[in-house]
Amino acid sequence: MTTDDTDYYLIDADLSAGVRALRDRVRGFVDTEVLPVIDDYWDRADFPFALIPGLAELGVAGYSAKGPGCPELSPLETGIVIRELARGDGSVTTFMGVQSGLAMGTIALLGDDEQKQRWLPSMAALERIGAFALTEPEHGSDAVRLETTARRDGGDWVLDGAKRWIGNASFADVVVVWARDTADGRVGAFVVEKDPEHGHPEGYSAELITGKIGKRAVWQPDVTLDGVRVPAANRLPGARSFHDASRVLATTRGGAAWESLGHAMAAFETALAYTARREQFGRPIAGYQLVQRTLAGMLAEVVTMQLWCVRMAELQERGEWTGPMASLAKMHHARRARQVCLDARDLLGGNGLLIEHQVARHLTDMEVVHTYEGTDHVQSLIVGRDLTGLSAFS
C-alpha cells in the first residue's frame, strides 16, 4: 500500500491541484532533507540549523499570519503544511509553529502596520527567527496569572521575570514577551530584539532545558529577564489583555490538531509497511487477525482526524471557528494520535523502541503535543465551561 492508498476516504484526492502541489512540495522536502538526518539530530538533542535554508525555500514560513511578506495560505493549506511537516518530525514542526503561528502570528494579529513591515518580511524569509514567551516556571495552564512585569521608564519598557519552555528563544532574533504592566495590571506583548552585532539585550539570558524524552531536536530554554529594556515602539498595540494572547492560542491549537494527525499518519504508515515485511512463524505478521484488527482501528482514528481537520479548515475559512472548538479538536486529536502511535510501537515489537524505525520518535513527540498548547485536562474544562456555562477553574 502506498502513501496515497492510505487516503482511505479520498480526502487528499479531493484537494485542488494547487493544494496538492503544496503538499507534495513540503512532503518532498521532508522525505529528501528531513528524514535522512533528523534521527541523528534528535538523538543528540541538537537543533538542525542546516535545514533552515531549505525550509525558507519552501515559502511557507508565516503560514497562518496575514501581513507583508507572508504567504497568506488558506486554513486548509496551512493545515496541510503542518501535517506534512509532522509526518516527518515534531521538532521541525514545533520550530515552524513557533516561527509562523506564535511569533509571526502575534505580530500580524496584534502589531501595527509599521511593526508588521519591520519584522514580518524577514521572518517569513527565515532571515530572522522568532520566539513566543508566555509560559512561566509557575504558570503553564494558568498562564493568565503570569508574573513577568513591564514598567514604563522614559522611552522604554523594562521587563523583569522568568519564562519556561520557550522554543527558539536561545537563538531567536525576535522574542514576543508577554508581561503585566505594573501601572494598571494589564497584560501586554513586547518584542525583544537581538542586535546583529551584540546579541540579546543586557539582562536577557536563556538556558536550554535538557533531558527531554520528546521533541529533542528543538531547543526550549528557560528565559530570564532582568531589567531588559525594550523601546516603546516595540510594544504591540493590539495586545491589551490576556484575551489577546488567547486569540493567538486559539489559532495555534488548531495547528496542534493538524500536527497530531501528521504524527498519527506517519505511525500508521510505518506500522502498515513494517507488518507487511516482518515475518514470524513463517509468514508476514500482517496476515494475523490481531494485527489486522489493530491496523483497522488505527486507520479509523486517522480517518476521523482527517475529517475533523478538513471541517476545522472550513469553519476557519467561514470565520465560525471558536476557542472551545479549538480546545475540543486539540483534546481529541492529541488523545487519538497518542494512541495510534502507541499501537504502532506495539506492532513493531522490540524494533519499535529504536528511533531508526521512526515510531518511537513520533510517540514521544506526541507526549509533548499532548501537553503543550494546554493540557488534555485544561482543554476538557474549556469545553465543559462552554457546554454548561459553569467554570470549573478560575
Side-chain angles (χ1 to χ4, degrees), residues 64-88:
S64 60
K66 305 295 182 185
C70 298
E72 302 206 5
L73 303 181
S74 70
L76 179 60
E77 290 171 325
T78 294
I80 292 294
V81 168
I82 297 170
R83 185 193 79 182
E84 291 301 319
L85 290 174
R87 286 175 78 163

Side-chain angles (χ1 to χ4, degrees), residues 3-24 27 76 79-81 83-84 87 258 261 265 269 302-303 305-307 309-310:
T3 297
D4 286 339
D5 289 332
T6 61
D7 183 24
Y8 214 72
Y9 271 26
L10 307 181
I11 296 168
D12 274 21
D14 281 347
L15 298 175
S16 69
V19 177
R20 285 201 303 272
L22 174 65
R23 177 201 66 184
D24 293 344
R27 183 175 294 178
L76 179 60
I80 292 294
V81 168
R83 185 193 79 182
E84 291 301 319
R87 286 175 78 163
W258 279 102
L261 170 59
M265 292 175 75
E269 290 161 5
V302 168
V303 171
M305 287 187 279
Q306 288 173 330
L307 293 169
C309 282
V310 171

